[in-house]
Amino acid sequence: MCQAQLVELQENFHLLEDIDADIYAISVDSASNHLRLKEAGEFTFSFLSDPEFVVIEEADMRNESVSHRGFSIIDGNGEVVYSHINDFFGDQIEETVEIIKEQF
């Protein structure tokens, strides 16, 4: 996970408050690594560990032995409705939020 992008997301989290959705950061990193990062950054959204690439592959976000940076929208039935690869989704938070709202 890119900590800089997650920090940008956290600092601009208010832009997503009007969306009726849960926000998660997902990667193949271990749960203990996620916990350390979450606590160090005081993130308010959840981190999920997917070392077997179950969700990552379903969202078509696998990049060999890691996941692509970006975001996906998964509906209430667990179906992936949209995925977007973008190494700078946090730096481009306004564009990211606009795409999410359009796809949501």
Side-chain angles (χ1 to χ4, degrees):
M1 263 191 241
C2 179
Q3 186 171 354
Q5 299 308 306
L6 297 175
V7 168
E8 287 294 327
L9 176 60
Q10 181 63 53
E11 289 177 354
N12 293 283
F13 203 72
H14 64 279
L15 298 173
L16 296 168
E17 288 178 348
D18 62 336
I19 298 175
D20 184 24
D22 298 322
I23 309 294
Y24 300 94
I26 303 174
S27 78
V28 297
D29 293 343
S30 70
S32 60
N33 283 347
H34 281 188
L35 182 59
R36 281 193 295 276
L37 180 60
K38 183 174 172 66
E39 289 173 347
E42 299 181 8
F43 297 103
T44 58
F45 50 89
S46 298
F47 286 37
L48 300 176
S49 179
D50 187 15
E52 302 298 321
F53 294 95
V54 175
V55 175
I56 293 167
E57 284 183 346
E58 188 68 29
D60 199 26
M61 297 293 280
R62 186 170 183 162
N63 184 16
E64 297 182 22
S65 63
V66 297
S67 59
H68 287 289
R69 292 180 188 145
F71 57 91
S72 299
I73 299 172
I74 302 171
D75 70 15
N77 297 318
E79 298 295 320
V80 176
V81 296
Y82 184 78
S83 288
H84 185 82
I85 296 170
N86 181 348
D87 285 342
F88 305 104
F89 68 91
D91 291 334
Q92 301 167 354
I93 193 67
E94 290 87 6
E95 179 183 332
T96 298
V97 169
E98 185 177 319
I99 292 169
I100 291 171
K101 287 182 177 183
E102 287 173 3
Q103 297 298 320
F104 198 80

